[in-house]
Amino acid sequence: MRPDTVAISAEGVNHARLLSELMGAEVRVYGFYRRSQRVFGFSVAKKDLRKTFAILDDMCYTYSADASSSYSRIGKSMLARLGFIVALAVCITLIALSRNYVWRIKISGNQTVPDKVIENVLAEHNISVGKNLKNFDGEKISAALRATDGIKLASAELRGTTVCVEVFESEDIAPPLVFSESDITSGYDATVTRIVTRDGTALVRPGQNVFAGAPLIGAYRLDEEGNRVPGKASGTVYGKVAFTESRTVATEWYERVPIGSYKRTRLCIFGLTIGKKLPNGAGYEISESSEKLSVFLPVTVKHARVTRTEMRKMSAGIDELAAKTEDEVVSSFINANVTSGFEVSRTVNELGGGLYRVNVFIQAEIAIGKV
Amino acid sequence: MSFFGEIASVLGFDEARLALGYSYVVYNGEAVYVEGIKKVLRLDESEIAFLVNKGVLYVGGEGLTVSDLSGAAALVRGSIEAVYTSAAVDKKTKVEEKKP
């Protein structure tokens, strides 16, 4: 619709005559359209409205002026929503002012140093939720964080109204070497492969078979005459150890599998949860996480991923199952003690009814000594 | 000078002569601009008839609407199939009547 025009809808039969009359009165007509055989519409300039109405009256048309120009319509609707506009202006002003204040503090990278310790360092520099941002000095805060126990590196920066702190914690110092007052004994039935003695007397030789509990390094020394002089035992003894684990597997089983998922977000204010309830029952798996908004109200956003599941009959060949079982046993066995010489083998026995026993044999060199 | 006025000067017509007649231009079969209208005689979606100085000017087509009507000029929009005068219609009728 053109500005400063009025849309008119009218009802009558001789549309051509009406247009001719308007032409004759020098009324400019825009966008003439026909809604039905009798009903039609057009627009005229505001200044021509009086002449148009006079012509329509003369011709005994039923008519109505639908709307004035878009500019004045916007103006009128704005006036009608004065309260909304005032509220909007207040909101915009508040948002503009709030850009000068801390709305949120995001801390990442810390596992052992608690958030509270970092927040205290920030508070010492006048940075906490609701405080003015003019006090923010990223360099100073980073330096203060680096001076905190357990933090090696730190950075503090401002992203909008959020203070983002990232820390890198100091690596753990290796525990001090243990010097035992008693003998170091074997934790496994094993064949000794290597002995590293730091203190005390080695009681075994490479190639020697030992049982669990057998002494490996004695907490004493021998003097020149062969007499025992009590002392401490310290060192590492490695040995080849054999492990066996048997597991019963079935070639057919039922498993709950996901068939679809969706996300659901809810708001929690003053303990009141707003949003659709989460489904419950055996057919659903729900993983939830929540995010506390650091605003002036205690608002928590709860994110949930709802996964619909169903029981399905699964099947697999015994070769595949045996390989999978072997992998599981090996991954549960591997740890920092294993050094070298890792050998794995397996056997499979059929038990009947689709059941099999998978026996996994592992041979590996590990540190066998224990205090 | 108007578009039609410029064409008239190229053709050597004087403007007074032009003002007494009518002119039209068709835009890609989608709109017709007509000058020299005295009245709108008929208005429907398939034909619009204007009274001009030397008779009637018809605009034929589909979905025809008068999107602007100002003074003696009109802009008709729609699928324009033909623009013809009452003189052409009369001539065609006479030819048809003479046919055995």
Side-chain angles (χ1 to χ4, degrees), chain A residues 232-246:
Chain A
K232 289 178 179 175
S234 178
T236 311
V237 179
Y238 299 92
K240 201 159 232 183
V241 181
F243 296 90
T244 307
E245 186 164 336
S246 298

Side-chain angles (χ1 to χ4, degrees), chain A residues 72-357:
Chain A
S72 60
R73 194 169 66 235
I74 290 167
K76 276 183 186 171
S77 66
M78 282 176 82
L79 276 175
R81 291 168 177 81
L82 193 61
F84 169 75
I85 292 162
V86 169
L88 190 68
V90 169
C91 278
I92 290 169
T93 311
L94 281 176
I95 289 168
L97 287 174
S98 70
R99 304 297 293 175
N100 299 325
Y101 293 88
V102 179
W103 278 67
R104 194 177 168 209
I105 293 171
K106 191 180 170 189
I107 298 167
S108 60
N110 57 323
Q111 285 183 335
T112 54
V113 179
D115 283 359
K116 191 73 193 162
V117 171
I118 295 167
E119 283 169 5
N120 286 343
V121 174
L122 295 174
E124 283 168 16
H125 290 78
N126 267 331
I127 294 297
S128 59
V129 173
K131 287 276 173 94
N132 200 314
L133 278 172
K134 71 179 181 188
N135 302 317
F136 185 84
D137 184 340
E139 286 300 314
K140 260 189 184 176
I141 294 169
S142 301
L145 287 168
R146 281 196 295 273
T148 308
D149 284 345
I151 295 175
K152 187 167 71 176
L153 288 169
S155 72
E157 60 177 8
L158 203 55
R159 289 182 198 154
T161 54
T162 302
V163 175
C164 297
V165 176
E166 189 173 12
V167 296
F168 298 91
E169 295 178 332
S170 311
E171 285 164 18
D172 290 336
I173 299 161
L177 215 57
V178 173
F179 287 86
S180 172
E181 299 283 346
S182 57
D183 295 348
I184 291 174
T185 56
S186 176
Y188 305 89
D189 293 344
T191 304
V192 176
T193 52
R194 290 182 288 154
I195 308 154
V196 182
T197 309
R198 295 187 191 89
D199 203 354
T201 304
L203 303 175
V204 290
R205 294 182 309 278
Q208 188 178 333
N209 294 325
V210 293
F211 294 104
L216 301 173
I217 299 173
Y220 59 88
R221 282 185 195 169
L222 295 173
D223 64 13
E224 289 171 352
E225 292 168 1
N227 299 318
R228 289 185 178 191
V229 179
K232 289 178 179 175
S234 178
T236 311
V237 179
Y238 299 92
K240 201 159 232 183
V241 181
F243 296 90
T244 307
E245 186 164 336
S246 298
R247 289 187 184 181
T248 303
V249 294
T251 49
E252 286 183 347
W253 69 98
Y254 282 89
E255 197 172 298
R256 192 167 283 286
V257 292
I259 53 169
S261 71
Y262 57 90
K263 279 182 182 174
R264 187 158 285 175
T265 304
R266 295 176 302 158
L267 282 179
C268 192
I269 306 170
F270 292 116
L272 186 73
T273 304
I274 302 165
K276 259 189 165 182
K277 265 181 97 175
L278 296 177
N280 52 17
Y284 294 96
E285 281 177 11
I286 297 166
S287 61
E288 275 192 284
S289 65
S290 63
E291 188 183 355
K292 197 173 178 184
L293 293 184
S294 298
V295 292
F296 301 109
L297 290 172
V299 181
T300 305
V301 181
K302 288 183 174 177
H303 302 283
R305 175 162 284 282
V306 180
T307 307
R308 279 184 291 128
T309 61
E310 66 175 22
M311 293 297 277
R312 278 203 192 145
K313 191 177 184 180
M314 312 293 275
S315 62
I318 184 57
D319 289 339
E320 187 189 335
L321 285 173
K324 192 179 162 199
T325 306
E326 184 184 301
D327 287 346
E328 284 172 7
V329 172
V330 168
S331 60
S332 68
F333 175 79
I334 288 177
N335 53 49
N337 289 336
V338 176
T339 53
S340 64
F342 198 82
E343 289 167 29
V344 185
S345 61
R346 67 170 185 259
T347 59
V348 178
N349 303 325
E350 188 170 359
L351 303 175
L355 294 176
Y356 294 84
R357 182 177 296 279

Side-chain angles (χ1 to χ4, degrees), chain A residues 16 20 23 28-29 31-32 34, chain B residues 40 43-44 66-69 71:
Chain A
S20 295
M23 260 178 75
R28 188 167 184 177
V29 177
F32 185 92
R34 201 188 302 264
Chain B
V40 181
L43 187 68
D44 61 48
V66 176
S67 66
D68 200 334
L69 185 68

